[in-house]
């Protein structure tokens, strides 16, 4: 999405969460790689967001940002939030290093730097195609980040459940499009049943 598309989505979601102009629930949004950080953080805070996901992949080049640059972007986002009167702004710093073939050690190095820069949690993404993050990797990440780990739940046999992730000490679980995909599979199955019914 472009920044304007992303902000339009945030505006729609924020409106559904507010009562008499005040949010009923804290809203954390996915701002992808952050676009222009100051403009993005200013825009989402004005719409009522209390936090965001911020990736270390440069979406315009499809390459990982150098670690110092990724850290600086987190620091700039938090500084912007403080200047706008939101000192407790929450950043869930996502690293795509595993999804691009990097090692768990690189994910730990990046995650620790992001936490040091002020991120609340680190989202270690397993990459496209459902690679996920293994149980062994999660154990290492939970230990390295003192529990401040976010992983994506994958609704397929063989992947860890919410209960298992909780027991392992994971602080945050993302769903991504998993529920949407499950709903669409059920919709397709039902539609096929309807179409196959004889009159």
């Amino acid at each position: 999405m472009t920044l304007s598309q992303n902000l339009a989505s945030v505006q729609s979601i924020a409106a559904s969460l507010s009562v008499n102009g005040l949010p009923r629930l804290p809203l954390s949004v996915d701002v992808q790689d952050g676009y222009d950080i100051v403009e993005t953080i200013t825009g989402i805070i004005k719409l009522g967001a209390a936090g965001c996901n911020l990736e270390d992949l440069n979406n315009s080049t499809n390459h990982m940002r150098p670690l110092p640059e990724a850290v600086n972007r987190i620091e700039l986002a938090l500084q912007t939030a403080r200047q706008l009167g939101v000192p407790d702004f929450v950043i869930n710093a996502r690293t795509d290093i595993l999804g691009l073939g990097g090692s768990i050690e690189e994910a730990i190095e990046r995650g620790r730097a992001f936490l040091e820069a002020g991120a609340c949690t680190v989202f270690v993404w397993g990459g496209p195609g459902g690679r996920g993050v293994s149980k062994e990797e999660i154990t290492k990440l939970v230990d390295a980040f003192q529990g401040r780990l976010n992983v994506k739940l994958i609704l397929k046999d063989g992947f860890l459940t919410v209960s298992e992730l909780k027991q392992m000490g994971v602080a945050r679980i993302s769903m991504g499009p998993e529920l949407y995909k499950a709903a669409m599979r059920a919709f397709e199955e039902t539609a096929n049943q309807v179409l196959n019914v004889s009159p």
Side-chain angles (χ1 to χ4, degrees):
M1 288 192 294
T2 64
L3 176 57
S4 60
Q5 290 170 330
N6 203 323
L7 290 176
S9 298
V10 174
Q11 184 173 27
S12 175
I13 294 166
S16 71
L17 291 177
S18 67
V19 176
N20 298 323
L22 297 173
R24 289 182 293 130
L25 297 168
L27 174 61
S28 180
V29 299
D30 186 348
V31 295
Q32 300 180 95
D33 69 353
Y35 314 96
D36 175 275
I37 292 291
V38 173
E39 182 182 2
T40 300
I41 299 302
T42 300
I44 64 172
I45 285 177
K46 285 183 177 178
L47 293 171
C52 71
N53 274 23
L54 184 58
E55 301 171 10
D56 61 358
L57 178 73
N58 184 329
N59 284 328
S60 63
T61 65
N62 206 34
H63 288 96
M64 298 296 297
R65 292 186 187 277
L67 183 53
E69 180 185 346
V71 166
N72 287 340
R73 290 170 69 80
I74 291 170
E75 292 172 342
L76 180 57
L78 291 169
Q79 177 187 351
T80 303
R82 285 192 298 271
Q83 290 170 348
L84 293 169
V86 187
D88 296 325
F89 191 77
V90 172
I91 291 188
N92 185 36
R94 174 174 139 172
T95 181
D96 287 23
I97 194 75
L98 281 184
L100 294 177
S103 68
I104 192 68
E105 289 75 23
E106 289 173 294
I108 288 171
E109 178 188 17
R110 283 183 167 260
R112 283 179 170 158
F114 298 159
L115 292 170
E116 179 108 4
C120 296
T121 46
V122 177
F123 181 9
V124 179
W125 187 60
R131 175 209 185 278
V133 182
S134 72
K135 186 173 184 177
E136 294 74 22
E137 289 169 334
I138 290 172
T139 299
K140 289 180 183 178
L141 292 164
V142 166
D143 182 57
F145 302 157
Q146 298 178 323
R148 295 178 291 170
L149 174 66
N150 175 206
V151 295
K152 179 178 176 289
L153 185 70
I154 299 177
L155 298 177
K156 292 180 183 174
D157 290 341
F159 285 90
L160 296 166
T161 65
V162 170
S163 297
E164 289 169 328
L165 291 169
K166 182 179 177 182
Q167 287 177 346
M168 293 177 73
V170 171
R172 178 171 169 164
I173 299 170
S174 293
M175 290 296 299
E178 293 293 323
L179 292 176
Y180 170 79
K181 288 179 179 178
M184 289 301 99
R185 283 194 298 271
F187 180 91
E188 183 178 11
E189 288 170 12
T190 304
N192 285 335
Q193 289 172 1
V194 169
L195 291 172
N196 289 330
V197 171
S198 300

